């Protein structure tokens, strides 16, 4: 099958013909119909985050079940499914408490040492990164990493549910616990940040301030429910947010992964406010906080992973909101491309102009 293979960090994606194994145990073979270009995959393709080439990335996947392993109970051939990078065993203390995103044994979803690899090239293993490896015609995924969804949801919109939406909306709803009447600022309005705006709107935030360098993104954020917007390239962002809210926001979300914007997020909080950090930083990234200000102003800094989401509960929930017309996913999809265009599409992501690009031709 055709796949976009990363052969070296920083070397881009090579479109190659590789082999995919038949499903074992609880694995599901998915015919990939849409695969979103999340910014995280670019980080993983350029830097060592513990996943080593040769590898196939891609973790915003939707498609149709083509075959199931002998122990699969949840899925049947023909089901429409969404994949997620959240790996959980279903049996540890955290999983049993419903916090699958904190699973203590995520490797339970992977093949054991000694079993043949899921992906290979001329007999040599290729890493199926994150257990999803969605930048390919087909993907072999453990059933715990998949969710069945209503076939009425188009594949591109469905794919975004698997990361952008659960990460962004989940950060507002579950991780930060934004409630009705709160004031919110979202720094970075990409595929994830726009979903933070959606989440804040869903729970009834009073003000939602969208912040980006790009006017097109600010305009887009308006459609998702932003009530105010600030171009970060024009003047002092923190001062502007304080001015708009009369002293700062209850919740600030950093959805880029930069030191400067993290520090801005903390600085723009009102007393008792919470900064939620979502964006992935370069390896070893750090930031500085004035300790006394933090404690005197009772600020909280919250590290957020995958929006604290439980994919089996949350993905069908967001899908139903979408079908009811209460959650915008379609405006996230800026363009649909072919697998062959993955390098140029990732280069365009740097311009900050588009929300989500989705591969729909393999
Ligand atoms: N101030 C404000 N906005 C900025 C700045 C800045 N200094 N720098 C970049 N941006 C904006 C870009 O214009 C863009 O709209 O941040 C946005 C980032 O969006 P994407 O590149 O689409 O990234 P996305 O896929 O949304 O992911 C955001 O979350 O999950 C993580 O790894 C992911 O770190 C990444 C982050
Ligand atoms: Zn577990
Ligand atoms: Zn992602």
């Amino acid at each position: 099958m055709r796949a976009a293979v990363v052969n070296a960090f920083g070397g881009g994606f090579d479109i190659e013909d590789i082999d995919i194994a038949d499903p074992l145990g609880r694995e599901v073979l998915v015919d990939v119909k849409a695969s979103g270009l999340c910014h995280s995959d670019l980080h993983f393709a350029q830097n060592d985050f513990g996943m080593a080439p040769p590898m196939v990335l891609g973790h915003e996947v939707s498609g149709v079940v083509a075959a199931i392993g002998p122990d699969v109970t949840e899925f049947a051939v023909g089901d429409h499914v969404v994949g997620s990078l959240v790996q959980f065993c279903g049996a540890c203390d955290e999983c049993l408490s419903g916090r699958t995103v904190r699973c203590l044994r995520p490797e339970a979803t992977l093949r054991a040492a000694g079993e043949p690899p899921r992906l290979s090239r001329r007999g040599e293993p290729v890493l199926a990164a994150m257990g999803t490896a969605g930048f390919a015609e087909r993907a072999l995924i453990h059933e715990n990493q998949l969710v069945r969804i209503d076939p009425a949801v188009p594949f591109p919109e469905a794919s975004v549910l698997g990361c952008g939406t659960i990460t962004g909306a989940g950060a507002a709803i579950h991780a930060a616990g934004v409630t009705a009447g709160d004031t919110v600022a979202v720094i970075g309005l990409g595929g994830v940040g726009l979903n933070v705006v959606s989440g804040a709107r869903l729970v009834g935030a009073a003000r939602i301030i969208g912040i980006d360098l790009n006017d097109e993104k600010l305009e887009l954020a308006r459609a998702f429910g932003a009530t105010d917007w600030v171009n970060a390239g024009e003047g002092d962002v923190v001062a502007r947010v304080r001015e708009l809210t009369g002293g700062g926001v209850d919740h600030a979300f950093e959805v880029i992964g930069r030191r400067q914007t993290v520090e801005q997020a903390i600085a723009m909080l009102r007393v008792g406010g919470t900064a939620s950090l979502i964006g992935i930083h370069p390896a070893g990234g750090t930031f500085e906080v004035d300790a006394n200000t933090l404690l005197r102003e009772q600020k909280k800094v919250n590290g957020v992973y995958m929006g604290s989401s439980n994919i089996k509960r949350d993905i069908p929930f967001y899908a139903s909101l979408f079908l009811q017309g209460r959650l915008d996913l379609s405006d996230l999809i800026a363009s649909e491309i072919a697998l062959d265009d993955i390098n140029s599409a990732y280069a365009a992501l740097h311009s900050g102009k588009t929300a989500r690009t989705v591969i729909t031709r393999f």
Side-chain angles (χ1 to χ4, degrees), residues 39-40 43 188-192 212-213 217 232 255-256 261 279-280 356:
H39 207 134
S40 307
H43 291 302
L189 300 166
V192 180
D212 204 286
L213 290 168
K217 290 292 186 54
V255 207
I256 305 162
T261 41
I280 296 180
R356 260 306 181 265

Side-chain angles (χ1 to χ4, degrees), residues 38-41 59-60 85 163-164 167 192 306 356:
C38 178
H39 207 134
S40 307
D41 287 308
H59 62 272
E60 264 190 1
L85 63 72
C163 177
T167 303
V192 180
M306 298 308 290
R356 260 306 181 265

Side-chain angles (χ1 to χ4, degrees), residues 78-91:
D79 283 349
H80 286 212
V81 289
V82 171
S84 164
L85 63 72
V86 178
Q87 298 171 327
F88 69 91
C89 72

Side-chain angles (χ1 to χ4, degrees), residues 243-328:
E243 185 185 303
L244 281 168
T245 51
V249 287
D250 297 304
H251 287 278
F253 293 87
E254 200 277 352
V255 207
I256 305 162
R258 289 170 53 99
R259 176 187 181 131
Q260 182 201 22
T261 41
V262 166
E263 291 172 0
Q264 286 172 346
I266 298 167
M268 66 175 64
L269 296 173
R270 58 169 286 161
V271 94
T274 302
S276 293
L277 312 188
I278 302 173
I280 296 180
H281 292 247
T286 57
F287 58 87
E288 244 174 56
V289 198
D290 180 82
N292 289 331
T293 309
L294 194 80
L295 58 96
R296 193 176 57 245
E297 297 187 1
Q298 302 154 60
K299 292 177 173 180
K300 291 177 279 295
V301 180
N302 198 7
V304 181
Y305 182 65
M306 298 308 290
S308 302
S309 300
N310 180 328
I311 64 163
K312 300 278 186 184
R313 174 197 64 189
D314 294 333
I315 291 178
F317 167 59
Y318 296 126
S320 69
L321 290 178
F322 166 73
L323 291 173
Q324 293 164 12
R326 296 164 65 198
L327 176 69
D328 189 355

Side-chain angles (χ1 to χ4, degrees), residues 118-339:
R118 287 181 183 168
L119 300 179
S120 58
R121 183 176 57 188
R122 295 181 293 278
E124 291 301 317
V126 171
L127 177 68
M130 296 161 281
T132 47
F135 293 152
E137 272 179 83
R138 290 190 155 193
L140 193 53
I141 304 175
H142 190 281
E143 65 177 333
N144 283 4
Q145 286 186 257
L146 287 172
V147 179
R148 185 172 42 248
I149 53 146
D150 191 324
V153 181
F155 290 113
E157 281 82 347
S159 71
V160 177
L161 289 173
C163 177
T165 301
I166 59 168
T167 303
I173 300 170
H174 299 298
V178 174
T179 52
D182 284 350
T183 50
V184 171
V186 183
I187 313 177
L189 300 166
V192 180
L194 290 169
N195 277 292
V196 178
V197 173
S198 286
R201 174 167 70 173
L202 279 168
V203 294
R207 296 280 286 276
I208 306 171
I209 305 170
I211 303 168
D212 204 286
L213 290 168
N214 195 293
D215 283 328
E216 291 166 47
K217 290 292 186 54
L218 297 172
E219 192 61 42
L220 198 53
R222 235 167 120 164
F224 283 80
T227 59
D228 302 84
W229 36 95
V230 175
N231 187 317
E234 296 166 6
D236 182 340
V237 180
V238 173
R240 183 75 188 117
V241 170
R242 289 189 167 283
E243 185 185 303
L244 281 168
T245 51
V249 287
D250 297 304
H251 287 278
F253 293 87
E254 200 277 352
V255 207
I256 305 162
R258 289 170 53 99
R259 176 187 181 131
Q260 182 201 22
T261 41
V262 166
E263 291 172 0
Q264 286 172 346
I266 298 167
M268 66 175 64
L269 296 173
R270 58 169 286 161
V271 94
T274 302
S276 293
L277 312 188
I278 302 173
I280 296 180
H281 292 247
T286 57
F287 58 87
E288 244 174 56
V289 198
D290 180 82
N292 289 331
T293 309
L294 194 80
L295 58 96
R296 193 176 57 245
E297 297 187 1
Q298 302 154 60
K299 292 177 173 180
K300 291 177 279 295
V301 180
N302 198 7
V304 181
Y305 182 65
M306 298 308 290
S308 302
S309 300
N310 180 328
I311 64 163
K312 300 278 186 184
R313 174 197 64 189
D314 294 333
I315 291 178
F317 167 59
Y318 296 126
S320 69
L321 290 178
F322 166 73
L323 291 173
Q324 293 164 12
R326 296 164 65 198
L327 176 69
D328 189 355
L329 298 175
S330 302
D331 288 323
L332 291 171
I333 318 293
S335 59
E336 296 182 25
I337 62 161
L339 186 66

